Amino acid sequence: MKIEIKQVLRPLRLMFLVAPGNPKSFQRAVQICSSYWGGKYFPIIPYYERFSKAFKISQNLFGISTKDFYHQLIENYSVDIIIYDEILKTEAIKALNLGKTVVRIDSIEESLINNDPKFGFGLHQIFATLLENEFKYLRNDQLKINLYDGSKKDLLSGVMIGELNNKYLDKIKTLFKFNDQIVTNDEYETILNNESGNYLNYLDIGSYEIFLNGNKNFEGRDVIFLIDPNSTADLMNFWNLRALGWNILAVWSSIIDLATTRKKVTSILKRYLNNDFNHLTVLGTEAEDEGEDVKRFKALLHEASNNTYNGYMFQWWIPRYWEDYNMRRADHVFAVGLSVKAIKHELTSEDYISIPVLKPTFMDNWYHSHIEPVYTNNLSLNIKSQSVDYVETFPRLKDEEAGRIIRGMGIWSVTSTGLNFHPNLHDSFIGFYLPLSETLVDHLFERKKLKIELSSAGKLAREVIKNIGGIYGTNLFFNETMINLLSLFESGKPVGKKAFFDNIQRNKSKFSFKAEPKTIVGRMLNNKMIRLGAEIECTFCNRASYYQVDEVNYKIKCKVCQNTFDLPAHNPDKIAWAYQGIGPFALNNKAEGIISVLLTLRFFKIALIGNNTCSCVLSSNILNGREVINEVDLILLYQGNWASNEYPDLIFCECKTHKDFALSDVNKMQKLGQQFPGAILLFATLKKHLSQPEKKLLKKLANSVRIGNSYRPINPMLILTGNELLPTNSFNVLEKLEKHKQNHAYHEDHTGHLCDMSIKEYLGLEFYRTIIEERYKKKWDRQKNSSTEVDV
């Protein structure tokens, strides 16, 4: 078994919860962010036990609970640690059950002032390496480090260029010897506008060696934000949008007419002029088209666009960086990944992994007295094995759960990008066991006080996958002709060599691969689907029986009358070569339904185009104590290529060959949906069409789960038939469904839209997304017309 591991060093990412409408609470968080490595990318969020009406309107918070709001922020920013202002209610924050370490802000302040910062590195720890590598000699570009006292200014300067607590700033000044390249320039306007471009501010220093590790969903957007410098809400939104990794320029009334502002705006807009595909977004929080400041800025844009009004677009609402994956994709607000350095490991291992920790370059210059984690190593696993037993993608897990599942020493967490090991200053190696899918899924059921165990069918399916050489061996079943061929062997019936080869010869043009009969038979033999033997007639009872090759001898015992007779060596024409199914391929109902399960698994792991990842557990019983209370044919944790920075979908599968779905099948799936809100309920069959009774049963279930306020129902339903599992066109498994495809929905939520497409095709139901969009529009109109409150 080969394992590829991509190991990425990054800072810990903290999230701050502050008191709403409290500038002092916000400023305190800004000061700590400005003091930490990577602090420019730490979100600062107001904490509400219950959203105010003004906040809901200003942020478009419709149909989202406070718990989901904070959980989704944690997911978007890949947050490792939660820091909260001690004036907030500790019990209420812990009641959110955020699954992260939660720490009071005063303990972080104290650790900084004591030169022993917890949960990260302070600026003073970066300085030694920065000075040695960048400022040891006089620079030609005249770049300087500016240790300015931002606390003497307003909150605006702290948000734009960083601000340190006075006590911490004094500590830094006592630690380092000043030279001409370290200055204390408190000229507010010069620093804020960076007119000379020759100063490193605190946020710049805290970003030392950090690269923005973009992915397909992170666009590194250029944005201009028209802000009110006296609005805490505007400043907080600016901070959090910049923390996404955006190149965002704030503009306010007093600087619109400055030459430096004009120069910056012109430089940014130039990249979008005459661009038919992208535009520069200009954000504002209220549509005051007649306001004086807006008129002045529009005039500036008009001039910068060479009087064409080209290349930019105004947007009078804040992108929803706090929303779920689908909304974030619609608004293009995925947070950037942080990366300092990365290496790849190629290992050969059974199950235990041990690799060195990747450390920051400046770490060895300092000693921490505490054992708290101070940085992160992100690990992406690619396990190349014939087995499907190992985890490829992780669901949402609390930090304490992650370490238990992988049996790793130290502090671990899981984000949508993979495993995270959080070393303290004393850790040198990362050690863990490769996580097993069955262990992971069993843990999800343990949350419901249930357990799972592989059923006999599941154990058989696992052995079949091993015998056929892993998941790609299922390609052999990706053909209706092969399945019909295997049906010849049901119930253990032997098939004569001539009849078998003649059948293959007649149908060989229908196989998805070109091959002669002997090649196809060879593949079936190698994959332990069939075996060779002979049918020989007993000379006592005149009954023919099938004998495996190793059972054929000069003396043969009849399997019917139990007499021993001589092999007809003198007349070999009476020895008829034949083949017989092995194991599940000798059973009834298409190998006890295993083929349908394997083709469903193949659909997600191979057939859907893209770099998809999928963890699976084969057919299992669900137990309450020792009592089997339910069963499921296949459990998947599926992360599509379009959702590479989102947690996987949990999918429960009911798989049939040619039997109809029954009420009992629907009931057990409905029960699973009730136990796991958000899980997808998949009904898979090798038939090309559903019967009317099946449609009636499935439509009733679909309507019962089509509730909720998200773009997905509480339990999306997906139907796959032989049209998708055994398509005529193997290069387009979704050909039957694509007539219902809506490109924007497909790209925003590939799997969710696939569910909608299948329900539309096979049950005739409207897209759930369309229903929700209409509901949102009506609710937005009501909310907008019922209040004129403005958030402060």
Side-chain angles (χ1 to χ4, degrees), residues 14 59 151 164 166 202 206 210 327 371 386 392 427 490 555 565 589 635 641 646 655 682 709 724 731 759 767 786:
L14 314 184
Q59 306 293 89
S151 64
L164 302 188
N166 281 335
Y202 297 129
I210 295 175
M327 294 288 196
I371 57 171
Q386 292 185 356
E392 291 185 14
D427 289 318
E490 287 188 2
K555 295 290 184 181
F565 64 95
N589 188 27
I635 304 172
N641 188 47
E646 175 65 345
C655 303
L682 166 60
N709 294 311
E724 293 76 46
F731 295 101
I759 295 300
F767 284 174
S786 67

Side-chain angles (χ1 to χ4, degrees), residues 3-5 7 343-358 377 379 381 406-409 412 419 421 427-435:
I3 303 105
E4 293 179 357
I5 301 176
Q7 183 181 10
I343 59 173
K344 286 188 177 181
H345 304 273
E346 293 186 0
L347 308 172
T348 301
S349 173
E350 287 304 315
D351 59 356
Y352 186 75
I353 303 296
S354 179
I355 55 177
V357 170
L358 266 182
N377 277 200
L379 306 176
L381 307 181
I406 63 171
R407 296 171 287 166
M409 297 295 291
W412 292 82
L419 288 169
F421 178 63
D427 289 318
S428 298
F429 282 88
I430 304 173
F432 63 98
Y433 287 88
L434 291 178

Side-chain angles (χ1 to χ4, degrees), residues 295-333:
K295 287 182 178 179
R296 288 164 56 207
F297 191 69
K298 284 185 175 180
L300 170 58
L301 287 171
H302 183 52
E303 181 182 336
S305 66
N306 300 321
N307 302 319
T308 63
Y309 296 102
N310 186 18
Y312 62 89
M313 183 182 76
F314 278 87
Q315 177 176 309
W316 299 106
W317 47 273
I318 300 300
R320 297 163 291 185
Y321 54 87
W322 53 84
E323 269 287 6
D324 63 14
Y325 170 81
N326 301 315
M327 294 288 196
R328 296 200 303 268
R329 189 176 188 105
D331 287 2
H332 307 283
V333 284

Side-chain angles (χ1 to χ4, degrees), residues 1 3-4 379-385 387-395 397 405-406 414 418-419 432-442 605 613-617 637 648:
M1 179 170 60
I3 303 105
E4 293 179 357
L379 306 176
S380 301
L381 307 181
N382 181 12
I383 303 171
K384 297 180 179 180
S385 170
S387 169
V388 293
D389 292 341
Y390 296 101
V391 173
E392 291 185 14
T393 183
F394 289 89
L397 294 174
I405 288 171
I406 63 171
V414 165
L419 288 169
F432 63 98
Y433 287 88
L434 291 178
L436 297 172
S437 296
E438 190 175 348
T439 302
L440 174 60
V441 173
D442 189 49
K605 290 183 76 75
T613 55
C614 184
S615 304
C616 75
V617 174
L637 286 166

Side-chain angles (χ1 to χ4, degrees), residues 72 88 304 340 384 412 442 451 456 614 678 743 748 760 791:
Q72 287 161 187
L88 302 173
V340 178
K384 297 180 179 180
W412 292 82
D442 189 49
K451 289 186 67 64
S456 58
C614 184
N743 286 331
E748 287 173 13
K760 177 88 170 176
D791 195 30

Side-chain angles (χ1 to χ4, degrees), residues 425-690:
L425 212 62
H426 314 289
D427 289 318
S428 298
F429 282 88
I430 304 173
F432 63 98
Y433 287 88
L434 291 178
L436 297 172
S437 296
E438 190 175 348
T439 302
L440 174 60
V441 173
D442 189 49
H443 183 81
L444 300 182
F445 276 84
E446 280 181 6
R447 294 176 179 174
K448 312 293 181 180
K449 298 183 179 180
L450 301 171
K451 289 186 67 64
I452 64 162
E453 64 177 17
L454 282 185
S455 63
S456 58
K459 293 174 182 177
L460 268 176
R462 184 166 62 183
E463 293 307 310
V464 169
I465 291 174
K466 289 180 182 178
N467 290 340
I468 62 178
I471 186 62
Y472 284 95
T474 59
N475 288 335
L476 195 58
F477 306 129
F478 188 55
N479 187 282
E480 199 162 3
T481 305
M482 175 58 77
I483 294 175
N484 292 334
L485 202 61
L486 286 171
S487 67
L488 298 175
F489 299 98
E490 287 188 2
S491 302
K493 294 180 296 184
V495 179
K497 178 251 181 187
K498 185 178 186 304
F500 189 39
F501 273 71
D502 287 348
N503 189 308
I504 297 174
Q505 183 65 36
R506 286 194 305 270
N507 294 288
K508 71 175 185 178
S509 62
K510 300 177 184 179
F511 282 91
S512 55
F513 53 90
K514 294 181 180 180
E516 292 300 314
K518 62 181 180 181
T519 304
I520 295 171
V521 172
R523 291 181 66 175
M524 296 176 74
L525 287 167
N526 291 336
N527 290 328
K528 299 181 180 179
M529 298 163 66
I530 59 174
R531 60 190 167 198
L532 178 64
E535 286 189 291
I536 304 174
E537 183 180 297
C538 172
T539 56
F540 289 94
C541 66
N542 296 326
R543 299 287 185 91
S545 300
Y546 176 83
Y547 299 90
Q548 298 177 36
V549 171
D550 58 0
E551 293 176 321
V552 177
N553 210 325
Y554 284 101
K555 295 290 184 181
I556 302 174
K557 186 175 183 179
C558 177
K559 293 185 177 181
V560 179
C561 68
Q562 300 297 303
N563 286 307
T564 299
F565 64 95
D566 292 327
L567 177 74
H570 63 288
N571 187 6
D573 290 341
K574 289 192 173 184
I575 303 173
W577 292 107
Y579 295 93
Q580 187 180 49
I582 300 176
F585 301 104
L587 301 175
N588 294 323
N589 188 27
K590 302 298 181 292
E592 292 292 302
I594 288 174
I595 291 177
S596 178
V597 170
L598 297 185
L599 285 173
T600 303
L601 178 59
R602 183 194 179 279
F603 176 84
F604 287 97
K605 290 183 76 75
I606 300 175
L608 288 179
I609 296 173
N611 186 25
N612 308 312
T613 55
C614 184
S615 304
C616 75
V617 174
L618 300 167
S619 303
S620 299
N621 294 321
I622 300 169
L623 295 86
N624 184 356
R626 296 184 179 181
E627 179 187 0
V628 176
I629 61 169
N630 207 342
E631 59 93 15
V632 60
D633 292 333
L634 181 65
I635 304 172
L636 301 174
L637 286 166
Y638 172 72
Q639 186 181 49
N641 188 47
W642 295 103
S644 60
N645 66 334
E646 175 65 345
Y647 289 97
D649 283 305
L650 175 62
I651 306 177
F652 293 113
C653 310
E654 174 65 23
C655 303
K656 298 288 186 184
T657 49
H658 294 102
K659 288 184 177 180
D660 280 5
F661 294 111
L663 179 60
S664 59
D665 302 318
V666 172
N667 287 341
K668 69 183 180 183
M669 292 292 277
Q670 185 173 31
K671 188 174 181 180
L672 284 168
Q674 291 167 349
Q675 291 167 328
F676 293 89
I680 293 174
L681 308 180
L682 166 60
F683 292 85
T685 177
L686 299 188
K687 297 189 304 178
K688 299 285 186 178
H689 305 283
L690 298 177

